[in-house]
Amino acid sequence: MENYNQTSTDFFLLGLLPPSKIGLFFFSLIVLMFLMALLGNLSMVFLIVLDAHLHTPMYVLLSQLSLIDLNYVSTTVPKMAFNYLLGNKSISFIGCGVQSFFFLTLAVTEALLLTCMAYDRYVAICFPLHYPTRMRKRVCVLMIAGAWTMGAINSCAHTAYALHIPYCQSRAINHFFCDVPAMLTLACMDTWLYERTVFASTTLFLLFPFITIVCSYGRVLLAVLRMRSEAGRKKAYWTCSTHITVVTLYYAPFVYTYLRSRSLRSPTEDMVLAVFYTILTPVLNPIIYSLRNKEVMGALRRVIQRIHSVKM
């Protein structure tokens, strides 16, 4: 067994995948999902920027979600792949702090942005006449700025604490990225008080937004029941069910992981659950929000035709 009791300040990410054939299979699968997430989210960002028909609050929020997912998946997967391929598990102290900061910023920002998107759909369906005033451009910009600001402030607080606590001789983080709760297990001090702040942050930025989203979609479904068009009801049911599924895949593993006390947590279980919100969700978001969306597919055709006409 390798010795990770180093005198240097570097950390060591033990990783998710074993150096075996089954590990190589899952590594290939994760890399494929990573490439799909990059392609899907990049396409959504460029499509929304290039097509004027998509310059509405709903799609502006969606472009921000794709931008977050693009950075989100790039924060953890490349380092994990690099470590697995080269067998070099080390990450510098500063590098760990940077990775932790961006991960926490993007995680909270996405959680708040998904809440904003749910509110946008709630107003559009339940109060269509009020939509132009409730979701005007200034409100949309404030929502986005607020989500990014709250994410960055929360991340600064947690990352600063994680980088200033004393660590024991062992520097082996039992995870595939610098997750703050996983780092706390190496601390040479009582972190009980800080664990309570993690609980409070998770409740405020993950659990409450998730409950808000579920309630808003519940109101949307009640409004859908009043629709006279059967085709409209089916479309709305499909949209709500797929959105709730993706949102649950993001929030549920996050909340389950971060609300548990250290004594109840399992490193292997935490890593498997982390795959859902760090890799799977960024892959699914552009698929769910675009493939069955006629406006997005129409914009894609217009952009392709524009590119084709320029080449001609």
Side-chain angles (χ1 to χ4, degrees):
M1 183 180 290
E2 295 179 69
N3 180 22
Y4 297 112
N5 295 329
Q6 302 291 331
T7 56
S8 70
T9 59
D10 288 357
F11 287 103
F12 297 88
L13 299 171
L14 299 186
L16 173 66
L17 305 172
S20 61
K21 289 185 178 179
I22 189 70
L24 183 60
F25 169 76
F26 282 111
F27 169 78
S28 302
L29 186 61
I30 288 173
V31 170
L32 177 62
M33 293 172 68
F34 170 71
L35 295 175
M36 289 174 60
L38 286 185
L39 179 62
N41 287 292
L42 266 175
S43 300
M44 286 298 296
V45 171
F46 284 123
L47 193 61
I48 293 170
V49 169
L50 292 174
D51 192 90
H53 294 84
L54 300 183
H55 292 175
T56 61
M58 173 183 171
Y59 292 107
V60 170
L61 292 171
L62 182 55
S63 69
Q64 287 294 306
L65 179 65
S66 293
L67 182 63
I68 291 170
D69 282 339
L70 189 63
N71 288 281
Y72 200 23
V73 77
S74 300
T75 300
T76 56
V77 176
K79 179 60 179 174
M80 179 182 69
F82 178 83
N83 287 355
Y84 183 82
L85 288 176
L86 299 185
N88 178 18
K89 299 177 183 289
S90 68
I91 182 171
S92 68
F93 183 80
I94 297 299
C96 197
V98 170
Q99 187 184 57
S100 177
F101 171 78
F102 281 106
F103 168 77
L104 290 173
T105 298
L106 294 166
V108 171
T109 303
E110 177 158 343
L112 296 177
L113 191 69
L114 286 169
T115 310
C116 295
M117 293 173 67
Y119 174 76
D120 174 78
R121 292 299 84 204
Y122 166 71
V123 174
I125 295 174
C126 297
F127 303 97
L129 298 179
H130 297 169
Y131 185 79
T133 54
R134 289 195 182 186
M135 286 302 298
R136 59 189 184 276
K137 183 178 179 180
R138 183 171 180 272
V139 173
C140 186
V141 171
L142 287 174
M143 282 181 169
I144 294 170
W148 280 102
T149 302
M150 293 303 294
I153 292 173
N154 177 73
S155 179
C156 279
H158 288 290
T159 304
Y161 180 88
L163 294 183
H164 282 85
I165 60 176
Y167 288 98
C168 298
Q169 191 176 3
S170 175
R171 293 267 174 165
I173 301 174
N174 202 350
H175 216 299
F176 60 87
F177 67 94
C178 291
D179 189 32
V180 171
M183 295 169 67
L184 291 181
T185 61
L186 309 179
C188 290
M189 59 175 286
D190 184 10
T191 59
W192 180 86
L193 182 60
Y194 174 69
E195 287 179 37
R196 300 282 72 78
T197 66
V198 172
F199 184 92
S201 293
T202 304
T203 303
L204 180 62
F205 294 118
L206 292 172
L207 185 59
F208 284 170
F210 179 58
I211 294 173
T212 302
I213 290 172
V214 172
C215 291
S216 68
Y217 276 114
R219 292 290 301 273
V220 167
L221 287 174
L222 289 176
V224 168
L225 287 174
R226 302 189 188 100
M227 288 184 177
R228 296 180 180 180
S229 169
E230 185 177 349
R233 284 199 302 271
K234 287 182 178 180
K235 181 181 178 182
Y237 278 132
W238 168 262
T239 301
C240 288
S241 61
T242 52
H243 288 192
I244 282 291
T245 300
V246 173
V247 164
T248 302
L249 286 174
Y250 180 76
Y251 282 97
F254 236 138
V255 171
Y256 178 73
T257 299
Y258 280 71
L259 286 186
R260 286 181 299 165
S261 65
R262 185 195 299 185
S263 60
L264 299 176
R265 299 179 66 171
S266 163
T268 303
E269 187 180 53
D270 286 354
M271 283 190 281
V272 172
L273 289 173
V275 171
F276 284 90
Y277 53 81
T278 59
I279 302 173
L280 185 60
T281 303
V283 174
L284 292 178
N285 278 340
I287 297 173
I288 294 299
Y289 290 106
S290 64
L291 286 185
R292 292 186 62 88
N293 189 312
K294 292 182 180 180
E295 291 181 339
V296 171
M297 299 310 293
L300 179 60
R301 285 192 293 270
R302 287 191 294 271
V303 170
I304 292 174
Q305 289 172 359
R306 194 187 311 168
I307 294 173
H308 181 70
S309 62
V310 170
K311 288 184 178 180
M312 295 296 288

